[in-house]
């Protein structure tokens, strides 16, 4: 079972990778936190593998130059799974997107998968 502290560290490293425009530095962060075969799925993409995620983050900088991704909640953990909220902030301080990610960790302590959702949930009608 993963601890809150260890998953918190993984999430921080993952967010730093999303905020790193330098390809080599971003690769080093993903090497620390992301399983080689990990998957990342959100409303805009479905990416497999560390190299695929590295390329996806790089492409995101074309859409959002200077973006910074930060966790905006504590990481909620049980078993090998967790969830946290995050936001993407641009250099002018605007936040064009925020969401919730659900994360699963390998027995080796790296992120195996992230499933992300954008925005808050709508109230039930």
């Amino acid at each position: 079972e993963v601890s809150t502290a260890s998953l918190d560290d993984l999430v921080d490293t993952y967010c730093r990778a999303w905020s790193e425009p330098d390809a080599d530095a971003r690769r080093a962060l993903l090497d620390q936190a992301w399983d080689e075969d990990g998957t990342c799925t959100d409303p805009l993409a479905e990416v497999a593998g560390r190299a695929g995620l590295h390329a996806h983050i790089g492409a995101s900088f074309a859409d959002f130059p200077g973006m910074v991704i930060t966790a905006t909640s504590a990481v909620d953990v049980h078993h090998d799974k967790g969830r946290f909220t995050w936001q993407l902030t641009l250099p002018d301080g605007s936040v064009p997107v925020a969401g919730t990610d659900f994360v699963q960790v390998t027995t080796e302590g790296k992120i195996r998968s992230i499933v992300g959702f954008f925005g808050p949930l709508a109230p039930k009608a």
Side-chain angles (χ1 to χ4, degrees):
E1 187 168 321
V2 66
S3 72
T4 300
S6 65
L7 190 52
D8 228 12
D9 289 344
L10 281 175
V11 166
D12 284 347
T13 303
Y14 172 72
C15 289
R16 286 195 339 261
W18 268 97
S19 303
E20 180 53 66
D22 180 79
D24 291 334
R26 182 171 61 249
R27 185 174 291 107
L29 290 166
L30 290 175
D31 286 346
Q32 292 174 41
W34 198 261
D35 184 65
E36 181 66 36
D37 299 318
T39 61
C40 180
T41 307
D42 66 33
L44 300 178
E46 190 166 16
V47 180
R50 192 180 295 151
L53 180 59
H54 182 269
H56 176 57
I57 294 170
S60 296
F61 275 102
D63 295 330
F64 299 105
M67 70 178 182
V68 174
I69 303 281
T70 52
T72 55
S73 72
V75 180
D76 185 25
V77 177
H78 69 79
H79 299 85
D80 62 345
K81 296 163 184 61
R83 64 179 173 162
F84 63 97
T85 58
W86 55 270
Q87 69 181 27
L88 184 154
T89 306
L90 295 177
D92 67 2
S94 64
V95 178
V97 66
T100 301
D101 280 3
F102 296 87
V103 58
Q104 185 173 17
V105 180
T106 66
T107 55
E108 294 79 29
K110 294 200 176 190
I111 296 173
R112 169 179 297 153
S113 71
I114 288 217
V115 177
F117 292 83
F118 299 161
L121 290 170
K124 190 170 183 173

